[in-house]
Amino acid sequence: MKYVSQKKGLLIFLGFDLALLLVMFIALLPFIRQKSAPDMQETAMLNPKYASQVHSIKFSLQDDSLDLFHKHTLTLINADGMWVGGDSLNDDVVWPADSTCVNNFISLASTVTTMYKRSDRVTSWKDFGLEDDEALCVTFLGEGDTILSELYFGREDTLTQRIAMRTSARGTVWDTPSDISTYLTLNTSFWADPYIFPLMVTGLSSSEAASSLRRGLLQQSLCEGESDFVLQRDFSGGTELVLSFYKQTDGSYLVNAVCRAGPAASAYQKKILETVRYSYSISAWTYQRILEEE
């Protein structure tokens, strides 16, 4: 009778164990992959069916420069297809918004995209910059100020080009493509109509008005005192725009713009247009060009 040596028996035993472990690993591999795969969902920040129902959009961010409880808020309002904006830093200033920019933002927010879950823990919000006193809150509102979607945006990862986000309804942290970051700003000059004569009163398209870009920033308040020059111009529907020019020490100008609604405007449009009064800067060159066109 032939006996297996102790060393050879040990090798056979170990080989059997390794083979058994390999079989078990292969059998469990699908479950391991499923568990380690990132939790993801295909969804939109704003339900696509609500895209045409957005009546206003609010952006708010904690502003500790005033007090611990103050929120800096920028609001965009849809006035029968015309968008206007306002800033909580000065409630007396209302400016025509860039409708193309606003509509592009709504379109992007209502586009289905891939989001990855980062955490289910509310305690992780701080790690992602998503606590109430740090995150930028964006609220889409419908008629009657019904909340269609409320989102909080935190830190952006420039390497992965994704940004942390959560909703007001749940504590889950997701990351989403950072192309939305372009619109996550309370900069009034970004959202405002960029033309000397805003499109909401001229009725022109962007291409038709391209030569009348103001190229100056919006101001937080209106100029006071006597102006150096006043320009009054009527547009389609009888809407009137009054521009008051104030020369600055460096040769540039600040311009107060005030709208007056015409008879063709709807009651709601008239109400909105009558509130439009804002100020922006222009260069001496732009001022001279305006004079030459008169």
Side-chain angles (χ1 to χ4, degrees):
M1 192 173 198
K2 206 170 183 180
Y3 294 94
V4 178
S5 68
Q6 185 176 4
K7 184 176 181 180
K8 192 172 181 179
L10 181 61
L11 290 173
I12 293 173
F13 178 75
L14 289 174
F16 177 77
D17 281 352
L18 287 172
L20 183 61
L21 287 172
L22 182 61
V23 170
M24 291 177 63
F25 177 76
I26 292 173
L28 293 174
L29 188 58
F31 300 97
I32 296 172
R33 284 179 176 171
Q34 185 177 7
K35 189 174 182 180
S36 62
D39 195 347
M40 57 178 283
Q41 63 175 357
E42 298 288 330
T43 188
M45 300 174 201
L46 171 68
N47 192 318
K49 71 179 182 181
Y50 295 142
S52 61
Q53 301 177 28
V54 177
H55 179 259
S56 63
I57 308 171
K58 288 186 178 181
F59 301 79
S60 60
L61 185 66
Q62 181 72 34
D63 186 356
D64 295 330
S65 64
L66 296 177
D67 59 65
L68 295 176
F69 306 101
H70 180 78
K71 289 277 189 181
H72 178 192
T73 303
L74 183 146
T75 305
L76 302 170
I77 299 174
N78 186 352
D80 291 345
M82 302 185 302
W83 287 88
V84 296
D87 191 313
S88 61
L89 297 179
N90 190 341
D91 293 333
D92 295 329
V93 175
V94 177
W95 32 268
D98 184 341
S99 294
T100 299
C101 186
V102 178
N103 290 329
N104 286 345
F105 175 52
I106 294 173
S107 177
L108 183 59
S110 57
T111 299
V112 174
T113 188
T114 303
M115 298 186 187
Y116 296 97
K117 184 186 290 187
R118 301 297 302 277
S119 175
D120 277 321
R121 295 177 295 108
V122 173
T123 53
S124 71
W125 285 2
K126 187 173 183 62
D127 298 331
F128 296 99
L130 286 172
E131 292 191 321
D132 288 351
D133 61 353
E134 189 177 3
L136 172 67
C137 179
V138 179
T139 309
F140 294 91
L141 300 161
E143 290 288 347
D145 287 340
T146 304
I147 296 178
L148 304 177
S149 179
E150 189 165 58
L151 310 162
Y152 291 81
F153 294 90
R155 296 196 178 95
E156 181 178 351
D157 188 331
T158 55
L159 185 63
T160 62
Q161 296 185 328
R162 303 186 74 81
I163 186 170
M165 185 205 75
R166 67 175 176 87
T167 68
S168 60
R170 297 179 180 177
T172 304
V173 176
W174 299 90
D175 73 10
T176 187
S178 61
D179 48 358
I180 197 76
S181 299
T182 301
Y183 301 95
L184 302 181
T185 177
L186 280 75
N187 185 332
T188 55
S189 293
F190 174 85
W191 289 107
D193 179 290
Y195 302 100
I196 297 167
F197 308 106
L199 301 186
M200 70 183 299
V201 298
T202 64
L204 299 176
S205 65
S206 298
S207 58
E208 292 171 327
S211 62
S212 66
L213 286 167
R214 53 180 164 76
R215 298 182 174 86
L217 299 177
L218 252 62
Q219 307 299 300
Q220 287 188 1
S221 59
L222 296 170
C223 294
E224 298 181 352
E226 187 176 349
S227 62
D228 295 284
F229 174 65
V230 176
L231 172 63
Q232 180 176 317
R233 185 173 288 188
D234 296 327
F235 296 94
S236 60
T239 299
E240 182 180 274
L241 183 69
V242 179
L243 303 180
S244 301
F245 298 80
Y246 296 80
K247 189 173 184 178
Q248 305 301 295
T249 55
D250 62 356
S252 65
Y253 286 81
L254 294 182
V255 184
N256 283 356
V258 177
C259 284
R260 293 171 185 158
S266 67
Y268 185 60
Q269 286 178 330
K270 183 176 181 180
K271 178 181 177 182
I272 295 296
L273 282 169
E274 295 292 339
T275 66
V276 172
R277 53 187 67 247
Y278 62 111
S279 183
Y280 57 81
S281 63
I282 60 171
S283 66
W285 180 86
T286 301
Y287 176 73
Q288 288 300 321
R289 187 163 57 82
I290 292 172
L291 294 181
E292 292 169 2
E293 292 176 355
E294 285 304 302

